[in-house]
């Protein structure tokens, strides 16, 4: 049976009246559905965070009042998670070791795409998009751009197929991905102090094409230089800023991953909440709720198919080229 492209059976037909009724009490319905699906006690921290977000409560913590950047800010906040600027070394994580060992796969694939930037723009989906909102644009600037590969564990059909070896490496390394995308920072630019306002996800950077010695990232009270082929892991709910002092663009592979102190059940609860935001009708589909874990795995597997097919096609072309002219 072909895996579903959606979790719920079909989108509900929405009118202005039905939409208003749906939104009324939506937060409470999601909260109750999470408890029913995964248990009240194992999901308590996540459901409290959801309630605070719905109530508009922001978290603010001075980690070191003597330093202006040693402050944690979050609107999506789960209590009890370790708050520190840097999680070092990143290679304590097995997936980071694997990425560093094979990082040239990512470098070479990006370089090939950038060599024909016009083709990339024409074939890709929302290639080199800017900041999503005015607040982010104010911090990141107009020149900071991204090329998305994976969002909330689901691969982008178009872009992932343009970078199949990178996606295969991320998948094979078992990176606990929430998101993955290339990010470029223009020459002679800065990113001002800001928080990403979420403490249950950490951010990882893999240096791909970096003017070494001329690019730095400061998180809290610590500053690090980007290095090609090296991974950095840090907490972007803590104020951070960046600078590219070079005369050329800096490229990295950026990943959002779950905070390692979250339990597996809490990760499932967060994913379910994301899915309810994307497909509110999921709450009205009893069969989809009953089969949620299986459907979620099927959706993720289906999203891998484009880059798996592209990878197989590249491998086939490579074998054909190697065999050309042989008897």
């Amino acid at each position: 049976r072909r895996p579903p492209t959606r979790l719920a059976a079909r989108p509900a037909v929405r009118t202005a009246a039905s939409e208003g009724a749906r939104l009324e009490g939506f937060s409470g319905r999601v909260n109750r559905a999470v408890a029913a699906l995964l248990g009240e006690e194992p999901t308590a921290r996540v459901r409290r965070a959801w309630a605070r977000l719905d109530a508009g409560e922001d978290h603010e913590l001075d980690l070191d009042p003597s330093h202006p950047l040693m402050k944690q800010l979050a609107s999506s906040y789960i209590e009890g998670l370790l708050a520190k600027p840097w999680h070092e070394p990143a290679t304590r994580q097995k997936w980071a070791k694997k990425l560093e060992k094979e990082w040239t796969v990512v470098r070479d694939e990006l370089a090939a795409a950038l060599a024909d930037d016009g083709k990339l723009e024409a074939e890709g989906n929302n290639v080199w998009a800017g900041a999503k909102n005015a607040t982010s644009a104010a911090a990141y600037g107009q020149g900071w751009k991204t090329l998305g590969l994976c969002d909330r564990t689901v691969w982008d059909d178009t872009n992932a197929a343009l970078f199949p070896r990178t996606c295969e490496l991320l998948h094979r390394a078992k990176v606990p991905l929430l998101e993955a995308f290339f990010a470029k920072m223009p020459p002679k630019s800065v990113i001002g102090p800001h928080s990403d306002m979420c403490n249950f996800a950490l951010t990882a950077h893999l240096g791909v094409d970096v003017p070494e010695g001329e690019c730095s990232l400061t998180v809290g009270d610590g500053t690090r230089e980007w290095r090609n082929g090296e991974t950095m892991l840090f907490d972007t709910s803590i104020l951070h800023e960046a600078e590219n002092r070079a005369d050329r663009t800096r490229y990295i592979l950026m990943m959002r991953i779950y905070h390692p102190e979250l339990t597996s059940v809490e990760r499932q609860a967060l994913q379910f909440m994301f899915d309810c935001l994307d497909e509110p009708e999921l709450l009205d589909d009893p069969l989809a709720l009953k089969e949620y874990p299986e459907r979620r795995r099927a959706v993720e597997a289906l999203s891998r198919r484009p880059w798996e097919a592209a990878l197989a096609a590249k491998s086939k072309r490579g074998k054909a080229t190697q065999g050309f002219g042989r008897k």
Side-chain angles (χ1 to χ4, degrees):
R1 187 175 70 174
R2 186 177 185 273
T5 57
R6 296 175 53 84
L7 293 163
R10 66 178 66 86
V13 177
R14 297 178 187 172
T15 64
S18 67
E19 188 69 359
R22 182 188 65 80
L23 290 173
E24 184 178 356
F26 175 73
S27 177
R29 293 186 66 200
V30 172
N31 202 317
R32 291 190 294 274
V34 169
L37 184 68
L38 297 167
E40 290 189 4
E41 186 175 349
T43 62
R45 288 198 303 180
V46 174
R47 290 186 296 108
R48 286 195 293 269
W50 175 262
R52 283 192 295 268
L53 178 64
D54 183 58
E57 298 177 12
D58 287 344
H59 165 81
E60 183 172 331
L61 176 66
D62 280 322
L63 300 171
D64 181 354
S66 68
H67 196 289
L69 296 186
M70 283 294 284
K71 180 179 291 187
Q72 184 181 51
L73 302 175
S75 53
S76 297
Y77 173 77
I78 294 178
E79 73 266 18
L81 300 179
L82 177 65
K84 65 177 183 177
W86 296 92
H87 289 246
E88 296 176 321
T91 48
R92 285 180 182 171
Q93 311 296 325
K94 291 181 180 179
W95 55 264
K97 285 184 179 179
K98 292 177 181 177
L99 291 186
E100 291 192 4
K101 184 178 180 180
E102 299 185 50
W103 80 277
T104 56
V105 168
V106 183
R107 179 200 63 190
D108 294 347
E109 197 162 51
L110 179 62
L114 294 177
D116 192 347
D117 207 29
K119 180 181 179 183
L120 178 62
E121 292 274 358
E123 295 183 356
N125 172 37
N126 205 20
V127 172
W128 302 128
K132 293 181 179 180
N133 53 57
T135 302
S136 296
Y140 285 90
Q142 296 301 317
W144 187 83
K145 307 287 186 181
T146 64
L147 193 163
L149 299 176
C150 181
D151 184 28
R152 293 178 180 174
T153 77
V154 175
W155 298 94
D156 184 286
D157 287 355
T158 302
N159 292 346
L162 298 177
F163 298 92
R165 292 191 175 98
T166 296
C167 296
E168 190 276 335
L169 174 59
L170 289 169
H171 181 66
R172 178 164 44 84
K174 298 182 179 178
V175 183
L177 280 180
L178 273 167
E179 302 174 41
F181 50 92
F182 290 107
K184 69 176 183 178
M185 187 177 181
K188 305 297 183 183
S189 66
V190 297
I191 296 174
H194 67 286
S195 165
D196 290 352
M197 300 301 288
C198 173
N199 85 318
F200 59 74
L202 300 181
T203 298
H205 286 179
L206 174 66
V208 178
D209 184 3
V210 175
E212 294 186 356
E214 299 181 275
C215 294
S216 60
L217 173 66
T218 299
V219 185
D221 59 358
T223 299
R224 307 289 186 271
E225 295 279 343
W226 280 289
R227 300 288 178 186
N228 289 310
E230 293 186 6
T231 307
M232 301 191 294
L233 184 61
F234 50 96
D235 188 336
T236 49
S237 68
I238 297 170
L239 292 179
H240 54 288
E241 59 186 3
E243 182 179 12
N244 180 5
R245 301 179 296 278
D247 293 322
R248 65 182 181 90
T249 301
R250 178 232 63 182
Y251 292 91
I252 59 169
L253 179 63
M254 189 165 172
M255 297 152 279
R256 310 260 194 220
I257 68 164
Y258 283 115
H259 194 293
E261 292 181 352
L262 288 171
T263 68
S264 61
V265 173
E266 288 173 329
R267 296 181 186 192
Q268 292 176 60
L270 288 165
Q271 184 60 65
F272 178 78
M273 288 172 170
F274 294 151
D275 289 332
C276 287
L277 290 171
D278 290 337
E279 294 186 40
E281 55 272 14
L282 177 60
L283 294 169
D284 300 315
D285 189 332
L287 182 59
L289 290 173
K290 181 180 179 181
E291 297 179 349
Y292 174 76
E294 295 80 9
R295 292 192 181 201
R296 160 46 57 183
R297 288 192 292 270
V299 165
E300 291 180 5
L302 183 64
S303 79
R304 292 195 297 269
R305 287 188 178 180
W307 65 253
E308 289 174 338
L311 187 67
K314 281 191 173 185
S315 177
K316 186 176 181 179
R317 286 196 299 270
K319 289 180 180 178
T321 301
Q322 289 174 5
F324 180 74
R326 292 182 180 177
K327 294 182 178 180

